Amino acid sequence: MLQLISALRASGVRVSLAESAEAFSAVDIMGIQDREEFRLSLRATLVKDLKDIPVFDKLFPLFFGTGTPPMMGGNPSDDMTPEEAQMLADALRQYTENLRQRMQRLMSGDQLSRAELEALGQMVGLNQMDDLRYQNWMAQRMMRALAFPEVREALKELMEQLQQMGMSRDRVEQMRNMIQENLQGMREQIEQFAGERIAENMSERPCGEGVDNLINRPFHALSDADKKVLQNEVKRLAAMLRTRIALRQKRAKSGQLDPKATIRANLKYHGVPMEIKHKDRVRKPKIVVICDISTSMRFCSELMLSFLFALQGQVRKTHAFAFIDHLESISEDFSGSNADEAIASVLWRMPSGSYNTDLGWSLNDFQSEYMDTLNGQTTLIVVGDGRNNYYDPRLDIFSTMSRRAARTIWLNPEPPYLWHGDSDMPKYAPMCNNVLKVSNLRELAEAVDSLLAG
């Protein structure tokens, strides 16, 4: 009950100490044997505004369960004949070990264990999420980590193959229905777990969390209020980076002696070395940056553009582009003096959510109109998760871009173990000089610092 009260407060519901005490008194009188009476006791004492009832109704089952576990379809092999079981085993052998294990797990009809759910949650950053609006998204990430799309496609092929091998149509249809029920049951279990863990995180979140913690929090775990705090923090970090980079460049200029320049400068002194010249070893980079501003990458790209705008004095030339399903040049938006207005203009012109990311087509746009922005002095930076919705990734174009640029750096918030499904990162990564993981503001600032270091 204390965790529920904390989560209600974290969601914006005002619950006083007196109301908390009333809730405990009500439960003491009504008891907990009847789940519905228990729920109504808490709602009547903790919620005093009609607009807060949906929040309570959302949180209550996450702390006290729904009363019924997700239904699974069962194991289709339980009532198979030996011939049908052998047929299934033969058909499964064509798949890789990893995929076969996941398919067999789905067909077994067993629910995921608590330890498996905990491991999945840890893998996708669920432990740092404390906003219920992202429950479905986190559940999707967990299912993606389980390779659900690949397993679903493989199971479809398996059913077709079993039918070709002679298994009866009725048996195949029965298996298909049971697997679909298992799939749905596992999905509900993951969604329930994601909601429970987020509610727990909300109840444990300290009041007035500092900026130091926020800059280490993954982008996908930030609330709208957190994002506003970090948008201001970027300006402070950019000023710090600007000073550090300028000092680095100044020190580098006074490093190695430049004999030719020294001789030329001292001809007027008849060769007496009155003026010493040093090599300018640091050349300000020329940058071409291509940012994915689809829903999943929007905030990361927004912060990256803020950094680049604030660090214009440390680069020779910047060509900036944004894409979702097509590429647009946004360099003109950043020709003014207000970065916030420039970024807002770009995001307004290219709203998220109404179309799928298509990096391959965007690379085709780049090839048609902007390939001449790349040369041997250019650093090419791509900010994106490499998820291309199974469209053609146009590796031929990206390979050409990579060869034309002096170096190619990819900033991706996802770790390599999530590069599967519709992710084309395993194909793009070998063509990059470096792939940096930038899942939070601290990692992004370190990446910007390193790429401007030359």
Side-chain angles (χ1 to χ4, degrees):
M1 285 179 58
L2 288 174
Q3 282 187 312
L4 172 63
I5 293 170
S6 298
L8 284 170
R9 288 172 175 158
S11 301
V13 179
R14 295 181 60 188
V15 182
S16 67
L17 285 176
E19 289 161 347
S20 302
E22 287 174 3
F24 278 97
S25 298
V27 172
D28 193 32
I29 295 170
M30 302 298 292
I32 59 173
Q33 288 77 16
D34 188 310
R35 186 175 182 279
E36 184 60 12
E37 288 185 358
F38 173 61
R39 186 182 72 84
L40 292 174
S41 301
L42 292 182
R43 197 178 80 172
T45 50
L46 295 176
V47 179
K48 52 187 174 295
D49 195 325
L50 280 175
K51 70 178 177 55
D52 294 330
I53 288 181
V55 179
F56 177 88
D57 290 342
K58 178 82 173 174
L59 287 172
F60 179 83
L62 298 177
F63 284 100
F64 300 105
T66 57
T68 54
M71 293 294 294
M72 305 296 282
N75 189 337
S77 62
D78 285 347
D79 56 351
M80 280 183 177
T81 64
E83 292 76 16
E84 288 174 333
Q86 184 60 44
M87 206 178 292
L88 176 60
D90 291 341
L92 280 170
R93 285 198 188 95
Q94 66 173 315
Y95 298 98
T96 62
E97 179 65 23
N98 190 35
L99 189 56
R100 184 164 60 244
Q101 288 177 356
R102 291 170 192 250
M103 292 166 68
Q104 289 174 331
R105 179 57 195 271
L106 188 60
M107 286 193 292
S108 70
D110 296 332
Q111 293 189 345
L112 294 169
S113 68
R114 190 74 182 179
E116 289 172 322
L117 289 168
E118 294 282 0
L120 277 174
Q122 181 77 24
M123 190 182 295
V124 302
L126 180 62
N127 293 342
Q128 294 169 305
M129 174 62 72
D130 56 5
D131 191 330
L132 275 176
R133 289 175 301 173
Y134 296 98
Q135 177 184 357
N136 290 337
W137 188 58
M138 291 307 297
Q140 288 174 8
R141 285 174 63 88
M142 292 172 70
M143 287 187 279
R144 185 180 290 169
L146 273 175
F148 256 42
E150 293 87 342
V151 171
R152 191 164 42 220
E153 191 63 29
L155 285 169
K156 183 179 175 184
E157 293 175 5
L158 179 68
M159 295 299 109
E160 293 172 356
Q161 187 174 354
L162 286 173
Q163 204 160 349
Q164 291 171 2
M165 292 170 72
M167 188 173 283
S168 69
R169 183 184 295 272
D170 291 342
R171 174 66 76 187
V172 170
E173 192 61 30
Q174 180 192 13
M175 286 184 64
R176 183 181 286 114
N177 292 337
M178 293 180 79
I179 290 171
Q180 284 298 329
E181 290 175 14
N182 289 343
L183 197 64
Q184 180 61 27
M186 201 172 284
R187 181 183 290 111
E188 291 175 6
Q189 189 190 13
I190 289 174
E191 289 174 350
Q192 174 75 11
F193 176 79
E196 290 173 0
R197 179 45 51 89
I198 292 173
E200 287 176 16
N201 295 342
M202 291 168 65
S203 68
E204 295 168 359
R205 182 178 179 180
C207 298
E209 188 174 15
V211 172
D212 289 344
N213 289 333
L214 286 182
I215 65 173
N216 290 308
R217 175 174 293 193
F219 293 131
H220 59 72
L222 295 170
S223 66
D224 290 343
D226 295 337
K227 289 178 181 177
K228 288 182 180 176
V229 173
L230 289 188
Q231 282 166 340
N232 293 324
E233 183 65 10
V234 165
K235 296 170 184 170
R236 186 187 69 80
L237 289 174
M240 187 177 69
L241 285 179
R242 192 164 50 240
T243 303
R244 183 188 303 171
I245 294 166
L247 280 173
R248 192 186 296 147
Q249 293 173 345
K250 182 179 179 182
R251 287 169 184 160
K253 284 182 179 179
S254 58
Q256 189 175 1
L257 176 69
D258 187 340
K260 292 182 180 177
T262 300
I263 291 172
R264 282 197 299 271
N266 289 283
L267 288 175
K268 57 187 174 186
Y269 305 118
H270 305 288
V272 178
M274 301 294 287
E275 297 179 19
I276 305 300
K277 297 293 182 180
H278 297 86
K279 289 183 177 178
D280 182 3
R281 292 182 298 170
V282 176
R283 293 176 63 84
K284 292 181 179 179
K286 179 183 172 187
I287 288 176
V288 170
V289 60
I290 300 176
C291 294
D292 178 353
I293 57 170
S294 61
T295 304
S296 59
M297 285 298 306
R298 210 167 180 81
F299 188 60
C300 179
S301 292
E302 181 181 338
L303 295 183
M304 181 64 187
L305 291 172
S306 297
F307 269 123
L308 290 180
F309 187 92
L311 297 172
Q312 282 300 301
Q314 273 59 50
V315 298
R316 272 186 292 163
K317 179 73 175 177
T318 300
H319 293 283
F321 303 91
F323 74 92
I324 298 180
D325 64 340
H326 68 284
L327 189 80
E328 286 194 17
S329 172
I330 58 173
S331 301
E332 300 75 15
D333 295 87
F334 290 85
S335 58
S337 58
N338 191 315
D340 294 337
E341 290 180 0
I343 292 171
S345 169
V346 172
L347 299 183
W348 176 82
R349 199 167 67 243
M350 301 178 73
S352 64
S354 55
Y355 31 80
N356 291 327
T357 306
D358 188 349
L359 175 55
W361 185 259
S362 303
L363 293 177
N364 187 61
D365 290 342
F366 187 90
Q367 182 188 42
S368 302
E369 299 184 50
Y370 307 110
M371 192 62 91
D372 59 354
T373 58
L374 292 173
N375 57 40
Q377 298 176 348
T378 308
T379 296
L380 171 62
I381 303 169
V382 182
V383 185
D385 55 14
R387 296 201 172 274
N388 208 25
N389 293 295
Y390 302 103
Y391 293 125
D392 184 351
R394 296 307 307 265
L395 298 176
D396 54 329
I397 298 177
F398 189 73
S399 176
T400 303
M401 293 168 64
S402 180
R403 287 199 304 272
R404 288 177 66 108
R407 57 177 180 156
T408 303
I409 298 175
W410 195 302
L411 308 183
N412 189 335
E414 292 189 342
Y417 59 76
L418 287 178
W419 294 355
H420 53 72
D422 63 344
S423 174
D424 286 318
M425 273 312 296
K427 303 170 187 171
Y428 289 124
M431 291 182 267
C432 300
N433 297 89
N434 205 355
V435 178
L436 300 174
K437 176 173 164 286
V438 289
S439 63
N440 57 44
L441 181 56
R442 179 183 58 77
E443 292 176 346
L444 180 61
E446 290 173 354
V448 172
D449 189 21
S450 66
L451 70 89
L452 290 181

